[in-house]
Amino acid sequence: MQKAEETYIEESALFLESIGVPRMAGRILAWLLICEPPEQTMPDLTRHLQASKSSISTMTRMLVQFGMVERVSLTGERKDFYRISPEFWSRSLETAQRKFDGFLRMSQAGLALIECGAENPAELDNRGQRLQEMYEVYNFLAASFPQLVDEWRRHQPRASATSQD
């Protein structure tokens, strides 16, 4: 493996770790984004990432569960291969929308709860400030994000080709 590839993998893994993905899972994901061929066996992963089979196995299982990576078999091969799930990044937009909608409902329910228990408007202002900010952020995202997703679908070359079928 080249030094530039190692740097990319480690920097990617650190970034992913900062958003809650275990570092080894981040290393696997980064390698699968840049490797050739795109399908890698367990021995390929352990060799390129210089990690134990158990660590790679545990983290690939997690990545498969999250839908980021898929396990595939190739014709004529008796081994399992791993690769980035097709269209994972596009599908992640739908996941983000569900999260935005969930946070919006959570903020609305919290505001309704506080409004029911508030004896005066000043109390609502003090108690509801955090929920109001949350509501405003996720209300904006819930209203704006679908347009962004639609724009992405129009922009994406494969999306326009499949929509014409």
Side-chain angles (χ1 to χ4, degrees):
M1 183 181 309
Q2 298 173 10
K3 179 70 173 158
E5 291 175 334
E6 290 175 7
T7 301
Y8 170 79
I9 289 167
E10 294 309 318
E11 288 176 356
S12 298
L14 287 172
F15 163 70
L16 290 165
E17 186 177 50
S18 77
I19 62 170
V21 176
R23 188 178 300 188
M24 182 52 69
R27 293 179 75 218
I28 294 166
L29 188 63
W31 173 247
L32 290 175
L33 285 167
I34 65 169
C35 67
E36 192 58 46
E39 298 86 8
Q40 299 283 295
T41 63
M42 187 70 61
D44 293 336
L45 294 171
T46 58
R47 183 178 65 252
H48 290 293
L49 299 175
Q50 300 175 1
S52 71
K53 182 180 177 184
S54 64
S55 178
I56 298 286
S57 176
T58 300
M59 292 298 107
T60 53
R61 208 170 25 255
M62 184 195 82
L63 291 167
V64 167
Q65 277 184 315
F66 290 157
M68 300 173 90
V69 169
E70 66 179 4
R71 188 176 70 165
V72 295
S73 62
L74 301 177
T75 305
E77 295 286 343
R78 296 172 66 181
K79 303 174 200 166
D80 288 330
F81 290 80
Y82 297 89
R83 68 179 178 202
I84 299 293
S85 295
E87 300 188 24
F88 168 74
W89 304 109
S90 294
R91 286 192 331 266
S92 68
L93 296 175
E94 296 165 6
T95 301
Q97 180 68 56
R98 286 192 300 275
K99 288 179 184 177
F100 297 158
D101 292 345
F103 280 121
L104 179 60
R105 286 190 304 276
M106 185 177 162
S107 65
Q108 289 169 324
L111 285 168
L113 178 68
I114 289 175
E115 288 172 0
C116 286
E119 295 181 17
N120 64 49
E123 183 181 335
L124 178 61
D125 289 343
N126 292 332
R127 293 182 62 215
Q129 183 177 2
R130 293 181 305 261
L131 285 165
Q132 186 63 39
E133 180 183 5
M134 181 182 178
Y135 170 80
E136 290 170 6
V137 167
Y138 287 103
N139 189 46
F140 173 80
L141 289 172
S144 304
F145 198 72
Q147 295 164 341
L148 185 62
V149 171
D150 288 343
E151 186 176 328
W152 164 248
R153 287 186 178 132
R154 285 191 303 275
H155 171 75
Q156 187 182 20
R158 286 177 296 180
S160 59
T162 57
S163 64
Q164 295 172 357
D165 293 339

